[in-house]
Amino acid sequence: MTQVKPARHTEEAFEIVVAGVLLANGYASITSEKFDRASAIFPNAVLDFIRTTQPKEWKALEALHGERTGAQVLADLVKWIDANGSLATLRHGFKCYGKTLRVATFKAAHDLNAELEARYAANVVSVTRQLRYSLSNDNELDLVLSVNGIPVISVELKNAMTGSTVEDAIRQYRRDRDPREPIFEFKRRILAHFAVDTDAVFMTTRLAGPATHFLPFNRGNDGGAGNPPDPKGRSYRTAYLWEEVLQRDSLLDLLARFIHLQVEEKRDDAGRKVKKETLIFPRYHQLEAVRDLVARAKSEGPGHNYLIEHSAGSGKSNTIGWLTHRLASLHDSANDRVFDSVIVITDRVVLDKQLQNTIYQFEHKHGVVQKIDDNSRQLAEALESSVPIIITTLQKFPFVSRQLIRLAEERGDDGDGVLKTRNFAVIIDEAHSSQGGEAATDLKEVLGGQRLREEAQGYMAENDSVGEDELFRSMAKRGRQANISFFAFTATPKHKTLAVFGNGGKPAHRYTMRQAIEEGFILDVLKHYTTYATYFRLLKASDDDPNVVRKMAALALARFLKLHPHNIAQKTEVMVEHFHAATQHKVGGRAKAMVVTGSRLEAVRYKQSFDAYIKAKGYAIKSLVAFSGSVADDKLHDVTYTEEAMNLGVREKELPDVFATSEYQVLLVAEKYQTGFDQPLLHTMYVDRRLSGIQAVQTLSRLNRTHPFKEDTFILDFVNDRTEIQEAFKTYYEGAEIGEEVDPSRMYQIKGELDSSGIYALSDIDFFSEAYFKPKLKQSPADHQKMNAIIDRPVSNFSDLAKTDPAEAEVLRGKILAFGSLYSFLSQIIPYQDSDLEKLYVFLRHLAAKLPKKGGGPSYQFDDEVRLDYYRLQKVSEGSISLSEGTANKLDGPSSVGSKVAREEEVPLSRLIDVVNDRFGTDFNNADQLFFDQIVEAAMADANLRQAAIANPGEKFELLFKNLLEALFVERMDQNEEIFARFMNDKAFQGLVTNWLATEAYAKLRRSHE
């Protein structure tokens, strides 16, 4: 009888294709009839593997049990799996009458053990179509994958061409797959369930009926969610699942080195400890990133840098855990270890615990991971002993050499504080905070070890120098070290991050903010964004009209307004009423808010205002405040405030946990908790602080964490411009791009300007370096005295200049700092062998630390001279800030610094008040002044207009400016329709605005050219 072939567009055809690929690539076929529904395993397959790979153990058991050996082994196996889970049993085996029996053998990190290789090859990975699994019904699973008879993966397939999609597969798992069935019990049999159609894949590790939570398991498509089509047009978009992920070796690798049980202990609202178990299966980008990085490290060896640009919501902690474990056991093609130790640089306590727990599950032994939680001696001992995985902070490295010498002395050896040459992988948890400064350079010096000394001696010989070992070591440690590979993680790279750790400015792997949002791993914090504008008028209240330094007095006037009780009270009312009416019921009634203030004193004032207003209204809202140190009251003499006192005894370390309880709803912050603060209940942010660039992204992203009851977020912004916020986020939305590079010649230019400034003599640098670069064992207190004496001369010269020409002195300070910044950056990329640069860098670094602090100029207090005459707080925009529009700004390198003298003009106080009112207050019918500022900035970006300002007088410039201005207004008509309409229809208003904006633009362009 001829078998009827399935129609090409049916689900059966789809199933045949998937199973066919698996069978052609190392899988065996095992029929549903061989499955034991009661024990939920394939018993014969299990026994065949044990008999084949462990004949000695089988014979010993057979001597005890005879014909019942198989039944006894299976009974003990099922009990063991039910107690310990299938994953632990596959990895570590089970006990049967004193014998340890293995039900799987995983690939070793090297190929030196032929017996292990043979046992690995003996694994039977099988696919079963239409598995009937239940004792109570004949329901079928489309595909089940098993390892040596133990089921580990289930797959439900749907074909969009027949009208069923991945959503139908998900519904089927939730509705028709009873989690109480033995095969579906959490941890005990199947470890991951895949819902698949021809376009998308979703996955879960725990079936829970209607509450089952599926995660996307897609590759990503052009920076967003989903999957790209096959570029060769040969297969489905989802073919990667069975061709790559579930391929035989890949599946065994997942079971051996990726899937793990994450156990978290958290406190509920009642303060009780609750244990939560989650079986972690890597998402596609995590699997791809770890495998790509490990493959590159294996083929390239140590001495390379890799940047991993993964957005918030990427699961970075787990990615770091998997990568750390893989690198610690990585062997090259010659079966030599690639890295002697893997060092994880992090400040996160949660990562310490997670790494140790995760890696213990893989290794099943202690001592593989050591957390350096005491001091640098502990770090020195771990490095000397080549502990496989070391978790530490960057700040401990500067003291390691001294500790190595002490350890050698205690052993009775002659120590030089240098490690033997070993190879290291350094994993950086957050690249921004760990890449710069001398601490990072000290890390490279410590890990460079003996090899670094040999490299420095080679540099010294090339330069015909003698006795300058320390100087040339200092130069050598700045560049790349051939024995150290860096793996740097960040969600928001800076130019420096891309330049130092990237490959040609590109990351080794990227998971974008856009994909994380579209896949639902983080929330889009710009979706509900409301901005307010403050309109006001200040009046001079006293008869005096003193001359004041414009910039400092303008800052004082702004501060006067920000701290004015009316301003604080009005904004407090808006925030508290909004929280009470719109936020408090969100996230299942547990929503929290953060207020971002502009200064510590503002945080104090808002805390006082919030508490008073809430008490007066009788609302069930409680607030906490966060700021560092103590704050002096600007009105009351000898009155100071601390965070702990204002929070009624809540200590700084306790604050995150206390805020997480149901007792508190609002956190007011000043320069704290704006990065790295992970609180999923945060729903709303009130912003009364200027934010831009990376700081805006990091601060506002505190809201993006997901929670089962969190459907959206909300931002109310009193200060910032929507366009600037959009530009800040757009830079990172689809991945950051490196922009204009730094010109290395600029560093030599600044050096020439500093050398000719007369602040120091070239001999000062030589004498200082002579003492500074003495061998450490030969240094004495007298050298410290000598270095200070040498530095004191240029410090005195600078102080004299600051008295006679303070503006010029500040330009000089800028050049000193600019040189240090440029050299610190460029020396990591360009292998400079210029000892003069190194000497100058070290000299200027110490000189900068001793220079007198920058004079703040006169400080002003206008409480008696100025009063607030008019104040209005008005909502000016609301709705989503779209990140799909516009182009992203690239990240440029450091620009030229310290070349112009900024001289502050003095103006009468009354005139300055008019300027402030005109610019930020009620001019132009109280319209948003920021709109005009944007017009000026956009005009200044026009190259032709810049040239016109240089070549023409003001009157002629205004004529040219007028032609451009109308186009600029039309482009921005949606931003302020009222002003646009008046500008186009009111000739007098148009003339006034044109003259005012032209004057502003002309003055700025001329100043920038001078």
Side-chain angles (χ1 to χ4, degrees):
M1 184 177 175
T2 305
Q3 186 175 358
V4 179
K5 291 184 179 180
R8 285 177 293 176
H9 66 280
T10 64
E11 283 171 21
E12 187 183 356
F14 188 21
E15 186 182 304
I16 290 171
V17 169
V18 176
V21 171
L22 295 173
L23 291 168
N25 289 278
Y27 273 71
S29 175
I30 187 167
T31 62
S32 179
E33 289 72 28
K34 294 180 180 179
F35 183 74
D36 181 67
R37 302 190 195 190
S39 61
I41 61 174
F42 294 91
N44 291 335
V46 174
L47 295 176
D48 287 346
F49 177 78
I50 294 173
R51 271 193 295 260
T52 303
T53 59
Q54 298 146 85
K56 289 180 184 177
E57 289 82 354
W58 184 265
K59 279 186 180 178
L61 290 170
E62 204 169 33
L64 285 172
H65 301 288
E67 292 181 359
R68 291 193 66 261
T69 302
Q72 187 62 52
V73 167
L74 290 172
D76 286 355
L77 170 63
V78 170
K79 285 179 185 175
W80 192 277
I81 294 180
D82 287 345
N84 299 284
S86 57
L87 183 62
T89 307
L90 284 162
R91 283 191 182 144
H92 310 301
F94 68 101
K95 289 283 187 180
C96 180
Y97 277 77
K99 300 294 181 185
T100 299
L101 299 178
R102 300 279 177 177
V103 288
T105 302
F106 297 109
K107 200 168 184 65
H110 52 75
D111 303 328
L112 298 174
N113 191 323
E115 184 184 345
L116 270 180
E117 287 291 304
R119 286 174 67 172
Y120 174 74
N123 286 313
V124 178
V125 185
S126 305
V127 57
T128 304
R129 292 178 55 199
Q130 300 300 315
L131 178 73
R132 294 181 178 179
Y133 56 84
S134 177
L135 288 170
S136 57
N137 59 59
D138 282 336
N139 286 351
E140 295 175 332
L141 287 164
D142 287 347
L143 294 177
V144 170
L145 311 184
S146 55
V147 174
N148 302 318
I150 297 176
V152 291
I153 301 289
S154 78
V155 183
E156 289 288 356
L157 297 166
K158 300 297 173 187
N159 186 354
M161 293 178 73
T162 63
S164 60
T165 68
V166 69
E167 293 298 328
D168 295 297
I170 289 172
R171 271 193 297 274
Q172 194 170 4
Y173 271 120
R174 287 174 175 162
R175 189 180 59 199
D176 301 335
R177 305 292 179 239
D178 185 348
R180 294 168 297 183
E181 293 277 3
I183 196 171
F184 296 135
E185 284 188 286
F186 179 60
K187 301 185 297 184
R188 288 183 172 171
R189 296 298 184 276
I190 289 181
L191 300 170
H193 309 274
F194 287 88
V196 185
D197 68 14
T198 55
D199 296 322
V201 179
F202 284 76
M203 180 271 302
T204 186
T205 58
R206 186 172 203 158
L207 293 183
T212 302
H213 182 58
F214 276 85
L215 299 176
F217 190 83
N218 298 307
R219 296 171 63 192
N221 187 8
D222 196 24
N227 292 302
D230 184 340
K232 296 179 182 176
R234 58 170 188 87
S235 192
Y236 308 105
R237 288 175 185 260
T238 50
Y240 63 91
L241 179 66
W242 52 92
E243 291 179 352
E244 300 172 26
V245 179
L246 299 179
Q247 181 265 347
R248 181 185 188 275
D249 291 329
S250 172
L251 177 59
L252 290 169
D253 183 51
L254 281 162
L255 293 167
R257 297 187 179 91
F258 281 95
I259 306 173
H260 67 273
L261 189 68
Q262 183 173 295
V263 182
E264 296 176 287
E265 272 198 354
K266 295 186 175 180
R267 292 189 181 275
D268 61 15
D269 287 343
R272 296 181 299 248
K273 278 191 177 180
V274 179
K275 189 169 80 169
K276 181 186 176 186
E277 290 186 334
T278 309
L279 196 63
I280 303 296
F281 191 102
R283 286 149 58 188
Y284 183 83
H285 74 272
Q286 294 175 309
L287 186 64
E288 181 183 59
V290 172
R291 285 179 169 171
D292 284 358
L293 291 165
V294 168
R296 287 184 61 179
K298 181 175 182 174
S299 64
E300 296 172 0
H304 297 273
N305 291 351
Y306 308 94
L307 178 65
I308 303 93
E309 186 185 351
H310 280 191
S311 163
S314 68
K316 181 174 70 169
S317 295
N318 281 318
T319 307
I320 288 176
W322 288 315
L323 179 62
T324 301
H325 176 244
R326 297 297 288 265
L327 293 177
S329 58
L330 183 63
H331 287 65
D332 60 20
S333 55
N335 287 312
D336 295 321
R337 282 185 71 175
V338 178
F339 301 109
D340 295 288
S341 292
V342 179
I343 299 165
V344 181
I345 305 294
T346 182
D347 294 318
R348 291 193 293 153
V349 175
V350 66
L351 188 59
D352 298 339
K353 294 176 181 173
Q354 197 166 321
L355 268 177
Q356 293 182 71
N357 294 339
T358 300
I359 289 166
Y360 178 73
Q361 288 184 47
F362 297 138
E363 297 289 340
H364 218 54
K365 60 185 178 184
H366 294 286
V368 176
V369 182
Q370 183 173 353
K371 179 192 172 189
I372 308 303
D373 49 9
D374 289 340
N375 49 39
S376 53
R377 178 189 177 93
Q378 189 187 13
L379 176 58
E381 290 171 340
L383 290 169
E384 212 172 39
S385 306
S386 290
V387 171
I389 297 168
I390 300 167
I391 306 171
T392 185
T393 59
L394 194 63
Q395 288 70 35
K396 288 187 171 66
F397 279 92
F399 311 102
V400 167
S401 292
R402 199 178 309 150
Q403 295 296 341
L404 289 171
I405 292 171
R406 286 180 185 168
L407 288 170
E409 289 172 351
E410 289 170 13
R411 292 192 300 265
D413 299 334
D414 291 330
D416 56 4
V418 180
L419 288 170
K420 293 176 183 175
T421 299
R422 295 190 175 103
N423 294 329
F424 296 96
V426 178
I427 297 179
I428 299 173
D429 180 20
E430 182 44 68
H432 305 144
S433 52
S434 303
Q435 71 197 39
E438 290 302 299
T441 309
D442 288 331
L443 175 146
K444 289 195 273 191
E445 181 178 24
V446 168
L447 301 184
Q450 195 60 46
R451 196 205 136 275
L452 182 66
R453 296 213 157 192
E454 292 164 4
E455 183 182 334
Q457 286 167 356
Y459 285 163
M460 196 163 61
E462 288 174 20
N463 285 270
D464 298 323
S465 298
V466 179
E468 293 188 303
D469 301 63
E470 290 287 340
L471 169 62
F472 280 87
R473 265 203 299 280
S474 184
M475 291 163 56
K477 72 184 181 184
R478 299 190 186 284
R480 289 196 179 187
Q481 309 300 316
N483 66 318
I484 308 171
S485 286
F486 284 93
F487 299 81
F489 285 77
T490 184
T492 48
K494 299 177 182 177
H495 174 94
K496 184 175 182 178
T497 324
L498 291 166
V500 172
F501 296 114
N503 183 1
K506 300 280 186 185
H509 196 271
R510 174 179 280 158
Y511 177 76
T512 66
M513 181 193 299
R514 177 185 160 197
Q515 187 173 350
I517 290 171
E518 290 180 0
E519 291 187 336
F521 288 104
I522 57 173
L523 296 168
D524 180 358
V525 299
L526 304 185
K527 202 166 186 179
H528 303 284
Y529 203 106
T530 294
T531 53
Y532 273 66
T534 305
Y535 304 112
F536 63 92
R537 179 176 293 280
L538 302 176
L539 291 180
K540 187 169 69 69
S542 67
D543 293 334
D544 295 334
D545 194 11
N547 278 354
V548 291
V549 175
R550 181 186 182 115
K551 183 177 179 182
M552 298 307 297
L555 289 172
L557 287 172
R559 181 174 179 273
F560 171 83
L561 177 71
K562 292 276 280 181
L563 292 169
H564 195 282
H566 189 70
N567 179 55
I568 296 281
Q570 290 291 298
K571 289 178 179 175
T572 295
E573 181 178 350
V574 168
M575 290 186 275
V576 174
E577 291 298 341
H578 176 271
F579 183 85
H580 178 66
T583 297
Q584 199 163 12
H585 66 277
K586 297 276 189 175
V587 199
R590 298 163 63 195
K592 297 181 184 292
M594 178 181 282
V595 179
V596 180
T597 68
S599 70
R600 295 184 307 149
L601 185 55
E602 285 176 48
V604 168
R605 290 284 179 255
Y606 271 122
K607 169 66 172 165
Q608 294 168 333
S609 181
F610 259 64
D611 289 353
Y613 186 87
I614 290 166
K615 184 178 180 181
K617 298 293 266 186
Y619 292 155
I621 302 171
K622 287 185 73 173
S623 72
L624 290 166
V625 68
F627 58 86
S628 57
S630 60
V631 178
D633 196 297
D634 62 335
K635 308 289 185 193
L636 304 172
H637 187 58
D638 290 337
V639 174
T640 59
Y641 305 93
T642 64
E643 176 185 300
E644 186 173 332
M646 294 198 81
N647 290 331
L648 303 178
V650 175
R651 288 181 294 181
E652 183 180 22
K653 286 185 178 179
E654 300 170 343
L655 193 144
D657 289 334
V658 172
F659 181 58
T661 67
S662 57
E663 185 178 357
Y664 293 95
Q665 292 75 37
V666 179
L667 180 63
L668 303 112
V669 302
E671 294 287 0
K672 287 182 83 172
Y673 298 108
Q674 288 169 239
T675 59
F677 181 53
D678 191 356
Q679 175 46 263
L681 297 176
L682 264 184
H683 174 277
T684 296
M685 184 174 286
Y686 304 106
V687 182
D688 197 23
R689 179 192 174 184
R690 180 82 172 145
L691 298 172
S692 62
I694 195 171
Q695 185 188 50
V697 176
Q698 291 177 335
T699 300
L700 301 180
S701 293
R702 294 311 95 212
L703 298 181
N704 68 18
R705 301 306 191 263
T706 58
H707 184 278
F709 299 119
K710 188 172 174 183
E711 298 173 352
D712 57 14
T713 64
F714 181 83
I715 294 172
L716 194 157
D717 195 330
F718 293 109
V719 177
N720 299 288
D721 175 65
R722 291 168 66 93
T723 304
E724 291 181 9
I725 296 297
Q726 196 263 0
E727 287 174 358
F729 273 79
K730 186 69 178 177
T731 299
Y732 300 102
Y733 184 57
E734 293 176 318
E737 298 290 336
I738 198 164
E740 190 175 325
E741 297 287 356
V742 182
D743 181 4
S745 66
R746 178 66 183 137
M747 186 168 60
Y748 283 100
Q749 182 185 340
I750 295 174
K751 178 183 183 300
E753 292 168 0
L754 287 169
D755 287 349
S756 62
S757 68
I759 290 296
Y760 57 81
L762 296 180
S763 58
D764 289 336
I765 301 170
D766 291 330
F767 289 139
F768 183 88
S769 299
E770 188 180 300
Y772 182 85
F773 290 113
K774 261 190 184 179
K776 286 184 173 65
L777 295 176
K778 293 184 180 179
Q779 288 179 0
S780 68
D783 294 311
H784 185 263
Q785 181 181 0
K786 180 181 177 183
M787 288 189 291
N788 269 279
I790 295 167
I791 288 285
D792 283 343
R793 286 195 296 271
V795 168
S796 296
N797 293 339
F798 182 91
S799 299
D800 292 341
L801 178 63
K803 290 172 187 172
T804 57
D805 194 343
E808 186 61 46
E810 290 312 313
V811 169
L812 189 63
R813 187 200 301 272
K815 289 178 182 176
I816 290 170
L817 297 174
F819 178 86
S821 176
L822 284 172
Y823 183 71
S824 174
F825 169 49
L826 289 171
S827 60
Q828 295 181 68
I829 302 166
I830 302 168
Y832 287 111
Q833 295 183 28
D834 188 337
S835 58
D836 288 341
L837 289 178
E838 182 70 21
K839 288 178 182 178
L840 180 60
Y841 170 74
V842 170
F843 174 76
L844 292 179
R845 188 160 62 86
H846 289 81
L847 173 60
K850 288 201 73 175
L851 291 179
K853 289 185 177 178
K854 181 180 178 181
S859 64
Y860 298 105
Q861 195 80 356
F862 290 134
D863 291 8
D864 297 327
E865 287 84 3
V866 175
R867 67 180 174 86
L868 184 62
D869 177 61
Y870 170 93
Y871 182 97
R872 180 161 59 88
L873 193 60
Q874 180 178 314
K875 185 191 293 186
V876 292
S877 68
E878 59 185 333
S880 174
I881 297 179
S882 172
L883 292 174
S884 60
E885 300 165 2
T887 55
N889 294 329
K890 293 186 177 182
L891 298 168
D892 293 334
S895 55
S896 296
V897 209
S899 57
K900 295 179 186 170
V901 178
R903 302 186 187 278
E904 291 290 348
E905 60 175 308
E906 288 198 347
V907 296
L909 175 59
S910 56
R911 181 180 149 203
L912 182 62
I913 290 171
D914 289 340
V915 170
V916 172
N917 282 332
D918 287 346
R919 183 159 183 171
F920 297 108
T922 57
D923 263 8
F924 310 122
N925 273 351
N926 299 330
D928 184 5
Q929 179 63 39
L930 288 175
F931 177 79
F932 291 114
D933 287 345
Q934 288 170 10
I935 294 283
V936 172
E937 293 301 320
M940 290 174 65
D942 186 277
N944 294 329
L945 203 65
R946 287 201 301 270
Q947 194 61 40
I950 297 166
N952 294 287
E955 296 81 6
K956 191 169 182 182
F957 172 84
E958 185 174 329
L959 294 174
L960 297 166
F961 181 85
K962 185 177 179 181
N963 296 330
L964 175 66
L965 188 60
E966 186 168 318
L968 292 173
F969 263 89
V970 170
E971 287 173 7
R972 289 161 177 76
M973 61 182 288
D974 291 334
Q975 294 179 21
N976 199 319
E977 292 178 358
E978 183 181 345
I979 290 182
F980 172 75
R982 190 168 177 193
F983 180 85
M984 300 304 289
N985 299 317
D986 185 338
K987 292 299 180 186
F989 181 83
Q990 187 181 101
L992 178 69
V993 169
T994 301
N995 176 261
W996 187 79
L997 293 179
T999 304
E1000 282 284 298
Y1002 185 74
K1004 287 184 176 181
L1005 287 168
R1006 296 284 293 189
R1007 280 199 302 272
S1008 66
H1009 177 67
E1010 290 169 2

